Amino acid sequence: MIKKIQGIVVSETPYKESSKILNILTEEGIIGVVSKGCKNIKSPLRIISNKLSYNEFVIYYHDGSLSTLKEGSVINYLSNIKSDLTLNSYLIYLTDLTSQVINEGNKKQIFDDYINTILKIEEGLNPTILTNILEVKYLDYLGAPINFKSCVKCGNEKDIVTISSIEGGYICKNCYTNEVIYDSKVIKMLKMYYLVDIKTIKELKISDNVVECINDFLRDYYESYTGLYIKSKEFLNKIKEY
Ligand SMILES: [Zn+2]
């Protein structure tokens, strides 16, 4: 069966003399394809067989085994991202994260959110905010959604005083002990991150302080609740500190 599909090459393995086996992240999950002869300078498959460009692929699809790449074209080279070490680190981290999440839920929704996030970063919007938005949305698929409705200790929907990355959601006035108090703007904005449709985002005007608080909250929350370890996240954090 011939299939036309959009995706991003997430990893490659050399195969025979001039070919590669590619893993392509798509709306149907990760598809393994053989790209025959793509290492030859004149190969029409050469450009689209490179990692981390957003391409359209035409493949001879074999369910359950390796497919074969027939042809394709580049939709977006993501050149702005690739020319910036920090942005490139975001791209690698988001791709690693999505590769781990893609099979845990609605693949099309996950892929669309991932691509739209990358395209917004390529357009120049704040990569920390966009990454955090995607991270909040992915928590649903990782079986660790943040409770945005009521106090996680007693169920009270009123008198919320903070949100806790340790307890996993809102804390009300009655249940508060010694949790970090986050500004109400942080709590409100985190919920907006969860609800926003990424492809409709035109601009992001959020104060640096709120952005940093949410970023720290999500880092702690991911550590406490997801059990995911993603090496490229550590590298990204180092680059940001540098
Ligand atoms: Zn409570």
Side-chain angles (χ1 to χ4, degrees):
M1 177 174 68
I2 290 187
K3 192 190 278 274
K4 193 187 257 192
I5 197 160
Q6 297 185 354
I8 285 190
V9 175
V10 293
S11 65
E12 57 176 51
T13 315
Y15 180 64
K16 296 189 177 163
E17 208 164 291
S18 58
S19 305
K20 289 180 191 172
I21 294 171
L22 310 173
N23 283 315
I24 307 174
L25 181 61
T26 74
E27 64 176 29
E28 297 181 16
I30 292 176
I31 298 176
V33 305
V34 180
S35 181
K36 284 185 190 157
C38 68
K39 285 193 213 159
N40 295 326
I41 303 270
K42 286 183 178 170
S43 167
L45 301 180
R46 184 179 164 86
I47 300 277
I48 55 163
S49 300
N50 288 331
K51 273 171 70 179
L52 299 176
S53 290
Y54 177 32
N55 301 336
E56 182 167 84
F57 300 94
V58 179
I59 57 182
Y60 296 110
Y61 183 72
H62 306 289
D63 200 9
S65 69
L66 273 181
S67 302
T68 310
L69 185 57
K70 182 173 177 279
E71 59 192 13
S73 58
V74 176
I75 298 170
N76 192 320
Y77 285 101
L78 306 175
S79 347
N80 294 334
I81 293 178
K82 285 178 188 158
S83 62
D84 181 295
L85 184 59
T86 306
L87 294 183
N88 201 47
S89 302
Y90 277 103
L91 173 62
I92 292 168
Y93 164 64
L94 290 171
T95 303
D96 287 349
L97 177 63
T98 304
S99 300
Q100 297 223 22
V101 171
I102 192 87
N103 290 326
E104 306 300 324
N106 181 331
K107 293 185 178 73
K108 180 163 175 28
Q109 179 73 53
I110 294 168
F111 182 75
D112 285 351
D113 280 345
Y114 160 72
I115 286 294
N116 285 316
T117 299
I118 299 295
L119 293 176
K120 296 289 172 188
I121 293 175
E122 172 69 11
E123 283 171 23
L125 295 183
N126 186 307
T128 304
I129 300 175
L130 284 161
T131 296
N132 287 160
I133 289 172
L134 198 64
E135 285 175 329
V136 177
K137 291 177 180 295
Y138 280 177
L139 286 170
D140 279 356
Y141 308 116
L142 293 166
I146 297 174
N147 182 342
F148 284 115
K149 200 169 182 306
S150 55
C151 171
V152 285
K153 292 189 182 177
C154 74
N156 185 2
E157 290 184 19
K158 288 180 190 150
D159 302 323
I160 302 301
V161 290
T162 192
I163 189 163
S164 165
S165 58
I166 313 290
E167 303 289 347
Y170 292 160
I171 305 286
C172 82
K173 190 173 74 184
N174 302 327
C175 299
Y176 178 76
T177 50
N178 59 354
E179 292 84 3
V180 178
I181 292 280
Y182 284 105
D183 191 286
S184 61
K185 278 185 205 145
V186 172
I187 299 174
K188 219 170 104 187
M189 196 49 74
L190 187 61
K191 191 172 178 181
M192 289 298 297
Y193 279 23
Y194 178 70
L195 295 174
V196 70
D197 181 353
I198 297 170
K199 70 173 177 298
T200 66
I201 297 174
K202 295 270 189 294
E203 59 177 354
L204 293 163
K205 281 186 184 164
I206 306 169
S207 75
D208 290 350
N209 181 45
V210 170
V211 171
E212 280 315 307
C213 281
I214 291 180
N215 190 50
D216 290 349
F217 173 87
L218 285 170
R219 183 199 56 215
D220 295 346
Y221 193 95
Y222 258 73
E223 273 174 21
S224 301
Y225 286 96
T226 69
L228 280 184
Y229 172 72
I230 296 172
K231 212 174 169 190
S232 50
K233 174 86 193 221
E234 268 184 24
F235 184 71
L236 172 62
N237 289 337
K238 274 187 200 140
I239 293 267
K240 282 172 77 183
E241 280 165 23
Y242 185 69

